[in-house]
């Protein structure tokens, strides 16, 4: 089964600091997503990325957030100036161009704790 | 707007059958997916319906009625390892993001 990896598994940071969360995608998957999940709550969409550009973003994805594929493989989410309410689990996910359209492959997540 | 509703909690015993319902109101609908998430884990895909009717995958089945904006996940022969949260998610097109429901926490008792 395809595997998505994310680093770090846990990130602790001070409020106002920048963090970069990384995701290593599955080859042949072209659609990339970032979701977040505050503890005990639902999974919330942040941004989708296709063909090296943002295809859609949610209201949560404000100017503090950015995404990129710096080297054509890794997929990163940057939060420029973290806030306490950014504490959450961040999942990257991806989908291919074939197979089940209802299936996205999720990485194991990065737990971000903002102090 | 986008809204999905699910029961917050369901409890059942090993070997039983449980049904988790999901109703949705979304702008755009391509299909309804179901994901399982164990505590501390990532969502993992269980089932998908694009058309009305029942889809069966082993012990799990999923149903969709597009006219009623309603679906359910049916889990049979419950096992302790099925204790997890279950999310319905609406897909709005191929490659589009999912809108997730609030999740249903299933507890399977011995």
């Amino acid at each position: 089964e395809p595997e998505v990896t994310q680093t770090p598994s846990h990130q602790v940071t001070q409020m106002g600091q920048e963090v970069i969360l990384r995701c290593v995608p599955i080859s042949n998957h072209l659609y990339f997503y970032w979701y977040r999940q505050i503890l005990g709550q639902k999974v919330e969409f942040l941004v989708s990325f296709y063909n090296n550009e943002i295809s859609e973003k949610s209201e949560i994805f404000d100017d503090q957030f950015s995404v990129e594929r710096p080297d054509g493989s890794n997929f990163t989410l940057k939060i420029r100036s973290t806030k306490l309410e950014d504490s959450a689990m961040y999942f990257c996910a991806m989908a291919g161009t074939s197979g089940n359209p209802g299936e996205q492959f999720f990485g194991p997540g990065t737990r971000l704790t903002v102090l | 707007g986008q809204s999905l509703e699910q029961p917050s909690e369901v409890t059942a015993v090993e070997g039983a059958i449980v049904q988790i319902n999901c109703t949705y109101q979304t702008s755009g609908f391509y299909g309804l997916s179901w994901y399982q998430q164990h505590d501390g884990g990532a969502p993992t895909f269980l089932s998908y319906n694009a058309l009305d009717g029942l889809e069966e995958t082993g012990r799990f089945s999923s149903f969709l009625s597009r006219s009623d904006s309603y679906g359910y996940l049916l889990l049979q022969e419950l096992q302790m390892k099925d204790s997890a949260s279950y999310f319905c998610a609406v897909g709005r097109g191929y490659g589009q993001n999912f809108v997730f429901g609030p999740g249903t926490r299933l507890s399977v008792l011995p």
Side-chain angles (χ1 to χ4, degrees), chain B residues 34-54:
Chain B
W34 289 91
Y35 283 79
Q36 179 191 61
Q37 185 180 35
H38 286 98
D39 286 347
T44 55
F45 172 76
L46 290 177
S47 190
Y48 173 71
N49 296 72
L51 303 174
D52 287 359
L54 192 68

Side-chain angles (χ1 to χ4, degrees), chain B residues 63-99:
Chain B
F63 172 83
L64 175 66
S65 170
R66 296 176 68 122
S67 60
D68 295 323
S69 298
Y70 164 75
Y72 65 73
L73 178 70
L74 192 73
L75 298 87
Q76 303 181 70
E77 300 173 18
L78 282 175
Q79 302 174 8
M80 298 293 288
K81 67 178 182 179
D82 297 329
S83 292
S85 292
Y86 292 84
F87 295 88
C88 58
V90 167
R92 297 173 301 113
Y94 209 107
Q96 299 271 329
N97 62 285
F98 288 138
V99 178

Side-chain angles (χ1 to χ4, degrees), chain A residues 31 33 35 37 41-45 48 56 89 91 96-109 111, chain B residues 2 30 33-35 37 40-45 47-48 50 87 92-103:
Chain A
Y31 300 97
Y33 313 86
Y35 293 89
Q37 186 178 32
Q41 298 186 24
K42 68 178 180 180
V43 177
E44 298 176 292
F45 168 70
S48 56
E56 189 173 7
M89 199 75 169
F91 294 103
T97 55
S98 60
N100 194 320
E103 182 173 14
Q104 290 184 0
F105 298 94
F106 281 76
R111 179 170 298 284
Chain B
Q2 325 267 22
Y30 196 76
S33 295
W34 289 91
Y35 283 79
Q37 185 180 35
T44 55
F45 172 76
S47 190
Y48 173 71
F87 295 88
R92 297 173 301 113
Y94 209 107
Q96 299 271 329
N97 62 285
F98 288 138
V99 178
F100 280 81

Side-chain angles (χ1 to χ4, degrees), chain A residues 32-101:
Chain A
F32 306 115
Y33 313 86
W34 283 101
Y35 293 89
R36 80 171 185 190
Q37 186 178 32
I38 295 169
L39 186 64
Q41 298 186 24
K42 68 178 180 180
V43 177
E44 298 176 292
F45 168 70
L46 293 178
V47 65
S48 56
F49 195 80
Y50 172 71
N51 202 25
N52 291 321
E53 59 182 34
I54 291 174
S55 51
E56 189 173 7
K57 57 184 180 180
S58 72
E59 296 172 350
I60 303 169
F61 195 86
D62 60 21
D63 292 342
Q64 295 298 315
F65 292 89
S66 62
V67 291
E68 60 180 21
R69 292 191 75 188
D71 55 9
S73 59
N74 290 341
F75 179 45
T76 63
L77 174 70
K78 181 192 292 186
I79 309 174
R80 290 188 183 81
S81 178
T82 50
K83 303 186 284 286
L84 294 177
E85 54 265 37
D86 292 327
S87 293
M89 199 75 169
Y90 289 81
F91 294 103
C92 72
M94 46 209 64
T97 55
S98 60
N100 194 320

